[in-house]
Amino acid sequence: MDLAGKNVVYLGGFGGIGQKTCSELLERQLQALAIFDLTLNEEILTTWQSKFPNTKIFYLKVDITQRSDIEAAYKEAVERLGHLDLVVNGMGLMDDRHIDLTIQINLMGVINSCLIALEYMDKSKGGKGGMIVNISSVAGIQPTPLMSVYSAAKHGVTTFTRCLAHPPYFDIMGVAFVTICPGFTETPLLNDLADKITFKFETPMALRKAKRQPPQVCAENFVKVIEKAQNGTAWLLDVGEIKEIEFPVMWIPQLEQ
Ligand SMILES: NC(=O)c1ccc[n+]([C@@H]2O[C@H](COP(=O)([O-])OP(=O)(O)OC[C@H]3O[C@@H](n4cnc5c(N)ncnc54)[C@H](O)[C@@H]3O)[C@@H](O)[C@H]2O)c1
């Protein structure tokens, strides 16, 4: 997608990866950037607004566990912008000691946000089409036992995104779906890991040894991917590298004659 002149919604735009990715997106002469997040980071918002005066930048409060918040925010964003071109579902929580919340934020949040965004973007409903990018994780393509609940939620994100990329859906709705799978990235999400892994008897040693990339590096690669990704593609952004993911076909339906 050529980002110049586009209307973008970024959920979780004040988070570690979100902040850096939004800054990178803003360098592409966007028409507008709407940040949906749980809390406002006024300092970052005003910095962006003064650095990018030609882009309309605003914040709408969204608790992604509340469907009514998501609906209200998309409604207001579309009222203010006319249409949406790109949505990034980039909120997240890694805390396996809070099982329901982990599923609600990482999986239900993505599902609800995508389906509500489609109400405005779907060409068959009067939208202009566009792209929805969902942030999954390496834990969403590979079982990650230290964070089993998070890993399950992120596998859900990967699969849901790939399902919505079904080519006949794309032909009708004109909305491309792309999955992003970052590797370990130095953000607050990984703080206090020992208190957030699935079982108390596990140690975060394996994670301490796993290389982490800076969020700036992840963000630069993320925006490069948004610029070139096709519908249905999934991308690994790990240790500063970009790799397109190829999924094996495990099953195809046997059709009735
Ligand atoms: N940091 C990593 O190692 C890593 C690796 C793979 C994937 N990810 C994914 O990348 C994305 C960004 O994570 P991050 O590392 O920047 O984490 P982060 O903790 O810095 O940011 C998380 C963002 O989600 C928002 N959020 C949390 N709960 C919310 C709620 N109830 N409603 C609305 N927003 C809420 C936060 O406000 C914040 O903006 C997440 O989807 C995360 O799962 C991170």
Side-chain angles (χ1 to χ4, degrees), residues 181-194:
C181 299
F184 291 114
T185 307
E186 201 57 64
T187 74
L189 187 107
L190 296 180
N191 290 349
D192 307 317
L193 265 184

Side-chain angles (χ1 to χ4, degrees), residues 58 120 160 165 185:
F58 58 94
Y120 299 100
F160 180 73
T185 307

Side-chain angles (χ1 to χ4, degrees), residues 7 31-32 56 58 74-85 120-121 126-128:
N7 291 335
Q31 168 106 350
K56 198 172 187 175
F58 58 94
Y74 275 112
K75 185 168 182 285
E76 184 173 342
V78 173
E79 278 167 6
R80 288 167 75 161
L81 303 178
H83 73 279
L84 309 176
D85 299 296
Y120 299 100
M121 297 174 76
K128 287 191 165 196

Side-chain angles (χ1 to χ4, degrees), residues 65 92-107 146-153 191-200:
T65 68
L93 173 82
M94 202 301 277
D95 188 348
D96 270 22
R97 308 282 164 82
H98 292 95
I99 296 168
D100 291 11
L101 196 58
T102 296
I103 302 294
Q104 276 170 13
I105 292 175
N106 294 297
L107 180 56
L146 280 177
M147 42 187 86
S148 310
V149 181
Y150 177 82
S151 188
N191 290 349
D192 307 317
L193 265 184
D195 299 327
K196 302 195 295 192
I197 55 177
T198 314
F199 297 112
K200 290 186 176 148

Side-chain angles (χ1 to χ4, degrees), residues 10-18 36-39 62-65 89-94 101 105-106 135-139 150 154 180-190:
Y10 199 114
L11 292 93
F14 293 132
I17 292 174
F36 295 1
D37 210 329
L38 195 53
T39 47
V62 171
D63 178 346
I64 200 69
T65 68
N89 285 302
M91 60 285 163
L93 173 82
M94 202 301 277
L101 196 58
I105 292 175
N106 294 297
I135 304 191
S136 178
S137 170
V138 286
Y150 177 82
K154 288 295 190 180
I180 297 291
C181 299
F184 291 114
T185 307
E186 201 57 64
T187 74
L189 187 107
L190 296 180

Side-chain angles (χ1 to χ4, degrees), residues 20 57 83 101 106 113 116 147 162 190 229 242 244 252:
K20 300 293 184 190
I57 308 170
H83 73 279
L101 196 58
N106 294 297
S113 173
I116 294 166
M147 42 187 86
R162 295 177 65 211
L190 296 180
I242 302 175
E244 188 170 351
I252 48 170

